[in-house]
Amino acid sequence: MELTFKSLLLLAAAFYFLLRITAYLLIAHQNRIFAKSHNCLTPRRFPSSFLGLPNWVRVMRAAKRGDVLEHIASRYPTYGNTWKGRILFGASIGTIEPENIKAMLATSFKDFGLGPERHANFYPLLGDGIFTLDGAGWEHARANLRPQFSREQVSDVGALEVHVQRLMNRLPEGDGEVADLQSLFYCLTLDSATEFLVGESVDSLLSPELNPTGDVDGGKEEMSFAQAFNVSQTYLINRTRVRGLYWLINTKRFRDANAIVHRLVDKYVDMALHPEKRARKISEKKYVFLDAIAAETKDPKYLRDQTLNILLAGRDTTASLLSFTFWLLARHPHIYKKLREEILLAFGTGRNGEGKHPSFSALKDLTYLRYVLNETLRLYPPVPLNGRSALRNTVLPRGGGEDGLSPIFIPKGQRVDYSCYALHRRKDLYGEDADTFRPERWGEGIGRGWEFLPFNGGPRICLGQQYALTEASYTVTRILQKYARIEVAGTHTGPTMDLTLTVAPKKVLLRLWKA
Ligand code: HEM
């Protein structure tokens, strides 16, 4: 019998599919043996018709409405603290079980990573940096950053005072006048983070124009940086939502925004490579991250990637914490009053030479302030959604079976998502009033383990935790020293939260009174 080209092609295709099916069955068999030997049971199913397409549409609709965090959190009470389903064709596992998160971040750290998808998705903005790398690249990036966060560096509240003072100068002097604190906090954290990390501040709080959306836009390069940074991050989260199809979302707007962000960072990289171009001399006692890595390599792309990753970490997270703190305080006047009493007792009003500026160690003694910040981080963790990918076949300790108490099998390549937003609102962990802002609960012995994770845990725990808490404590203290009372101004319609890689309230429009 003579074989035509067409029949040869058909034969090859059949052989290929047979090989694929055999490989699939073999892997499924091995996985079953692995799961059985670890006593794994199947997690509860999250309904996923049509390969999870309707689930994905629901997420996209919630994102448009601005309530995607609540939408995701609403799955847990119905389907258990760990469930498995499908979203946009792929298998999806979600968990808010502290034991599982602890396994991914600490006890089985080597079995989990950020995964290749995160690297490829974030690469156009962040390149190869601490937020995109696993393994040796991550270890190196983290080792370079560690000296930046020594106690000596982090406790320098004098460096913060300059920027906080500029923020205060932009607050209204007349009693009962309105300010949008959210946009000011984004400028504050950008200014202080650039000074802290690259040795020179962008000084956005000195810009004459601050537009009300939280972006600064004064026509100068550094002014459009904030806007571009927001646009780029919105694209990154949208790319994450379409999973393996992230490469389809690569518009000119995304590329332009990335280019603007890169241009600003390149300016600092250039200064680090040519210190004679610096406007200000940096104290030799100070560790400046960018200068330290520039002494190690002259590769501008490497320097840009490392710097941009840490700027991303430093700006939005602390601005989110500050914004939500004031958003909540304005809605709970008795808590504002109690917190102010603690602050005035320790430091006075700081006005006309009366009282004093808070020191690093004295700030740490303010118990109620710590409770208020913890409670804000609990209800509104700045990084509300996170996840890890399995680097090899592995196991998570909880979620299997109807009672969810048995281990579950996680195959290599599987992503597991966790929501700190939902975890922090679990009623069995925080009580029936878990949705209520009640700082006093932090005096009742809660949140000591893996059920409170605003800064993550394990070897990849946030490096900037102390710096962020110091900046937030200092800023809250200085504002409360000055203002006796705050009130929500006007009613804001539409989505109340902005979710990119971090979450922040859309606006924090407040009226402020000095007396
Ligand atoms: C309230 C403020 C902050 C919160 C809630 C926060 C939270 C987090 C979280 C959840 C992660 C883990 C991210 C992941 O899994 O990919 C993280 C990582 C990190 N954060 Fe923060 N962060 C804050 C402020 C800062 C600041 C101000 C800096 C630096 C100036 C910083 C530096 C870092 C770095 C370098 C990492 C990466 C650690 C690693 O992968 O080894 N953070 N942070």
Side-chain angles (χ1 to χ4, degrees):
M1 189 180 74
E2 200 178 312
L3 283 175
T4 63
F5 178 69
K6 202 172 154 193
S7 52
L8 265 176
L9 214 61
L10 277 173
L11 213 64
F15 185 65
Y16 171 77
F17 280 116
L18 199 71
L19 266 184
R20 289 297 299 257
I21 289 168
T22 313
Y24 176 81
L25 291 175
L26 212 67
I27 290 171
H29 179 65
Q30 280 171 348
N31 287 355
R32 262 198 306 277
I33 293 174
F34 183 97
K36 203 169 168 205
S37 68
H38 289 83
N39 302 317
C40 295
L41 293 180
T42 319
R44 284 180 68 181
R45 304 289 307 180
F46 169 61
S48 309
S49 53
F50 301 106
L51 296 172
L53 206 58
N55 286 340
W56 178 75
V57 171
R58 274 181 215 116
V59 171
M60 296 312 281
R61 283 202 188 126
K64 207 166 168 197
R65 285 194 307 270
D67 60 8
V68 75
L69 294 180
E70 288 89 341
H71 173 75
I72 291 172
S74 72
R75 290 177 192 154
Y76 290 99
T78 317
Y79 302 106
N81 291 331
T82 302
W83 44 255
K84 184 174 181 180
R86 281 189 172 274
I87 295 181
L88 198 63
F89 315 127
S92 175
I93 294 182
T95 188
I96 51 167
E97 202 60 82
E99 282 299 310
N100 285 348
I101 303 175
K102 178 178 165 187
M104 287 191 285
L105 300 183
T107 44
S108 301
F109 178 72
K110 288 209 153 59
D111 290 357
F112 291 92
L114 304 179
E117 219 170 77
R118 170 139 151 195
H119 180 268
N121 176 4
F122 286 11
Y123 190 82
L125 176 69
L126 296 176
D128 293 310
I130 196 159
F131 283 110
T132 56
L133 293 176
D134 283 317
W138 161 72
E139 273 175 37
H140 188 63
R142 191 161 169 112
N144 272 335
L145 268 168
R146 205 182 289 280
Q148 180 74 50
F149 297 97
S150 67
R151 193 188 149 91
E152 204 182 29
Q153 294 270 121
V154 169
S155 60
D156 184 7
V157 289
L160 283 174
E161 171 63 18
V162 178
H163 302 293
V164 174
Q165 200 48 253
R166 288 175 184 169
L167 180 141
M168 307 268 281
N169 288 343
R170 302 198 72 129
L171 293 177
E173 280 303 316
D175 275 344
E177 284 182 27
V178 178
D180 178 10
L181 267 72
Q182 199 245 33
S183 49
L184 292 172
F185 289 144
Y186 272 76
C187 293
L188 171 77
T189 53
L190 178 64
D191 287 3
S192 55
T194 40
E195 177 163 352
F196 182 62
L197 298 163
V198 302
E200 197 152 320
S201 172
V202 300
D203 290 341
S204 61
L205 280 166
L206 293 181
S207 154
E209 305 230 348
L210 285 172
N211 77 37
T213 59
D215 301 325
V216 278
D217 195 351
K220 293 191 219 149
E221 187 176 325
E222 60 262 33
M223 295 304 123
S224 58
F225 169 81
Q227 218 164 15
F229 211 18
N230 289 353
V231 170
S232 296
Q233 287 186 56
T234 305
Y235 271 92
L236 292 192
I237 189 78
N238 286 336
R239 282 160 64 98
T240 305
R241 286 197 187 115
V242 295
R243 305 178 63 126
L245 301 176
Y246 65 86
W247 46 272
L248 285 174
I249 303 183
N250 188 13
T251 63
K252 183 171 176 311
R253 188 165 146 80
F254 178 47
R255 291 194 300 274
D256 285 351
N258 293 342
I260 290 168
V261 173
H262 291 165
R263 242 196 341 266
L264 179 100
V265 179
D266 288 347
K267 197 174 92 182
Y268 288 105
V269 167
D270 189 47
M271 277 194 265
L273 292 172
H274 306 282
E276 69 281 1
K277 292 187 186 172
R278 269 221 169 96
R280 271 172 273 172
K281 194 173 169 348
I282 296 169
S283 155
E284 277 172 14
K285 278 194 278 174
K286 252 188 166 171
Y287 178 93
V288 174
F289 166 66
L290 179 55
D291 288 351
I293 50 172
E296 189 187 285
T297 170
K298 304 291 174 216
D299 175 359
K301 163 88 168 64
Y302 175 85
L303 296 174
R304 176 214 281 168
D305 289 353
Q306 307 312 310
T307 309
L308 188 47
N309 275 255
I310 186 73
L311 270 186
L312 173 92
R315 185 188 79 140
D316 295 19
T317 47
T318 316
S320 156
L321 170 58
L322 279 165
S323 300
F324 274 120
T325 303
F326 279 88
W327 192 86
L328 286 162
L329 285 175
R331 283 155 178 82
H332 299 84
H334 63 289
I335 296 175
Y336 187 92
K337 189 164 172 279
K338 186 169 168 185
L339 177 60
R340 188 163 192 260
E341 276 163 13
E342 179 181 68
I343 287 170
L344 293 194
L345 193 67
F347 308 117
T349 61
R351 247 180 267 153
N352 308 323
E354 182 232 313
K356 52 193 173 189
H357 287 179
S359 69
F360 175 71
S361 57
L363 277 176
K364 283 190 160 301
D365 292 337
L366 298 189
T367 312
Y368 197 61
L369 175 59
R370 183 158 42 85
Y371 290 176
V372 166
L373 293 179
N374 269 358
E375 186 67 346
T376 308
L377 287 166
R378 184 182 72 81
L379 283 173
Y380 297 103
V383 184
L385 303 171
N386 211 332
R388 292 291 186 259
S389 290
L391 302 175
R392 56 178 77 105
N393 281 352
T394 185
V395 165
L396 287 178
R398 291 276 184 279
E402 262 315 295
D403 60 4
L405 295 177
S406 298
I408 56 170
F409 170 63
I410 308 291
K412 180 180 173 182
Q414 173 66 54
R415 191 181 154 78
V416 182
D417 291 303
Y418 59 96
S419 161
C420 287
Y421 181 85
L423 166 71
H424 290 177
R425 288 165 184 252
R426 269 181 64 170
K427 291 194 166 54
D428 57 333
L429 300 177
Y430 288 97
E432 278 308 307
D433 67 347
D435 289 329
T436 308
F437 181 58
R438 189 172 65 83
E440 285 71 15
R441 78 176 78 241
W442 290 92
E444 297 162 7
I446 45 123
R448 296 230 168 88
W450 286 81
E451 63 263 29
F452 182 57
L453 285 178
F455 295 101
N456 245 18
R460 288 194 93 135
I461 194 168
C462 172
L463 267 171
Q465 177 172 349
Q466 277 314 315
Y467 177 76
L469 290 175
T470 306
E471 182 169 20
S473 303
Y474 191 83
T475 309
V476 170
T477 300
R478 297 291 285 124
I479 295 178
L480 265 69
Q481 277 184 303
K482 181 165 177 181
Y483 292 98
R485 192 157 63 91
I486 60 173
E487 206 175 76
V488 181
T491 43
H492 173 67
T493 51
T496 51
M497 286 197 250
D498 244 342
L499 178 68
T500 57
L501 300 178
T502 54
V503 65
K506 271 261 180 231
K507 282 188 194 302
V508 187
L509 282 178
L510 302 182
R511 280 183 205 287
L512 302 107
W513 281 267
K514 280 186 280 177

